[in-house]
Amino acid sequence: MNVARLGMMFGLLTGLGAFSGTAPAQPEKAEKADASPQLTQVRSLAYSPNGTVLVAATGGGTGGAGGVVAWDAANRKQLWARGGPKGFGSVSFAPDCKSIAVTHGAATVLRLDARTGKELGEVGPHPKPVRACAHVPGTELLATGSDGTVRFWDLATGKVVKELKGGHPAEIFALVFSPDGKWLISEGQNETRGWNVAAGTELKEAIKQARGIGWYGVTFVAPDRILFADNSATQHLLELPSGRELLRCEGFGGGIAYSPALGVAAFHRNGSEIQIMDLAFRAPTAAEQAHIASLLKEFDDDSYPVRIAASKAMREVGSVAETALRKAMTDGPSAEVRMRARETRKAILEEPLRTLKGHMARVRPMCFSPEGKVLATGADDGTVRLWDPSTGKELARLTAPDPGARP
């Protein structure tokens, strides 16, 4: 990859918001038909844009029941909960924070009052059950995915105003908008597609998914940058609409959430642990640049202890040194410098800052609070846990009720 362009990419990402406060719904398991009590699966999470309410959609409860539950984000007390006979899936907040949309195993999408849970109406019907829904940022439109078609509904009139067809042969499981609503990523069973929302056209040249390679956890880290993992546990940073790959590194794959405020990403891959990675997509400050240059010189010092200390110090500088390290990998003045630059860059991008442990079953959705300082995670153990990603401390544990359980 062109080094100058990568450096430009890190600069362009400086200060750009990436977080929508919503974790796309995870693929649903088959509903249970028996009535034996069991732990509810937390399938999706969303913070209201103003950060005052956290909502979780659940499924897999007793008898296959699902539901949606809301908590006050400040005091972490439950505001309301409601259930249904089937699993609930995707959940999305309206831009004004007053309502949510949630899929509920039916051919419609429920609209609920965010503070009370009162039903405001249904969006639909659709030809098949809806698996994904997402509000279009800055508009009164709701996008839904069910039978392979993405539909845009005007919530004021209840009418479909646009359809995106041809990208998916069957069901759509997730819809992810860029922060400005310009781009849309839709995910199906075996395919990921990108769209220009205004034009209604597919980004066929940008999203080229190789046969047999699945994309997971697609997350916007800037209005025109997506971060995702594939099924070989490799992370990719892609530019839209060009499709140019800006960064690739080995990692943990699976689900992804990103905090631009902290410059970290959370990853999980089919397990109960969450890895916090240093991914500060910004240019280094003048002081950092001077420090990085000094450490690169020490990579070539005659003293072995000095070289070791410089490598350790560079790791502490973190991902803002990525551009300089990449350049030193090829242009360093000695084999020693090139080797240390390569090993240090690999450690920064592929070794977690910390691992969050606490869930007792597979983690599914994750999302950061709008200010980016609290990470919410949901799992098949029926809990939502809140974490301080800077320290790894568990801040709170919220239990999702089982809508199918008898009182």
Side-chain angles (χ1 to χ4, degrees), residues 10 262-264 277-284 288 291-292 295 299 310-326 341 344-351 353:
F10 271 78
L262 298 181
V264 299
M277 307 293 295
D278 177 4
L279 283 176
F281 296 121
R282 65 173 179 84
E288 288 170 334
H291 186 41
I292 291 167
L295 292 174
F299 276 10
S311 294
K312 181 179 179 181
M314 189 72 84
R315 289 183 63 175
E316 292 175 355
V317 172
S319 59
V320 293
E322 197 276 344
T323 301
L325 288 170
R326 174 178 281 269
T344 304
R345 178 183 178 275
K346 180 178 176 65
I348 289 172
L349 294 178
E350 298 181 9
E351 296 179 11
L353 296 173

Side-chain angles (χ1 to χ4, degrees), residues 182-269:
K182 184 176 182 179
W183 313 113
L184 169 66
I185 303 297
S186 56
E187 298 181 69
Q189 183 67 45
N190 298 302
E191 68 287 328
T192 300
R193 299 289 183 262
W195 307 87
N196 180 319
V197 175
T201 55
E202 186 179 342
L203 303 177
K204 292 184 178 181
E205 295 303 312
I207 308 297
K208 295 180 178 179
Q209 190 175 6
R211 185 177 179 86
I213 299 297
W215 289 17
Y216 305 103
V218 178
T219 301
F220 277 90
V221 299
D224 58 354
R225 304 286 191 273
I226 57 172
L227 178 67
F228 65 92
D230 65 29
N231 52 4
S232 66
T234 301
Q235 271 72 250
H236 307 261
L237 183 69
L238 214 64
E239 177 189 67
L240 297 180
S242 69
R244 184 163 55 99
E245 186 174 71
L246 303 173
L247 187 67
R248 177 187 296 192
C249 58
E250 300 302 313
F252 297 93
I256 302 175
Y258 183 70
S259 168
L262 298 181
V264 299
F267 293 89
H268 73 74
R269 189 184 186 194

Side-chain angles (χ1 to χ4, degrees), residues 31 58-68 81-88 104-105 110 402-404:
E31 305 293 351
T58 68
T62 302
V68 59
R82 62 179 293 157
K86 297 182 178 180
F88 284 46
H104 59 124
L110 284 178
D402 179 356

Side-chain angles (χ1 to χ4, degrees), residues 339-377:
M339 179 272 292
R340 289 196 176 276
R342 181 173 59 255
E343 291 184 349
T344 304
R345 178 183 178 275
K346 180 178 176 65
I348 289 172
L349 294 178
E350 298 181 9
E351 296 179 11
L353 296 173
R354 57 194 60 88
T355 299
L356 309 183
K357 299 180 180 181
H359 281 294
M360 304 303 292
R362 176 187 174 187
V363 175
R364 288 176 176 267
M366 303 187 297
C367 65
F368 280 94
S369 56
E371 82 283 358
K373 296 182 179 180
V374 176
L375 174 67
T377 61

Side-chain angles (χ1 to χ4, degrees), residues 134-208:
H135 289 86
V136 183
T139 75
E140 294 187 3
L141 301 179
L142 179 72
T144 61
S146 62
D147 59 340
T149 298
V150 180
R151 294 176 174 83
F152 290 75
W153 300 78
D154 185 330
L155 296 179
T157 65
K159 303 294 184 181
V160 175
V161 296
K162 181 181 293 186
E163 292 184 341
L164 304 179
K165 295 182 177 182
H168 298 275
E171 294 174 313
I172 297 171
F173 295 111
L175 297 170
V176 185
F177 282 98
S178 60
D180 57 8
K182 184 176 182 179
W183 313 113
L184 169 66
I185 303 297
S186 56
E187 298 181 69
Q189 183 67 45
N190 298 302
E191 68 287 328
T192 300
R193 299 289 183 262
W195 307 87
N196 180 319
V197 175
T201 55
E202 186 179 342
L203 303 177
K204 292 184 178 181
E205 295 303 312
I207 308 297
K208 295 180 178 179

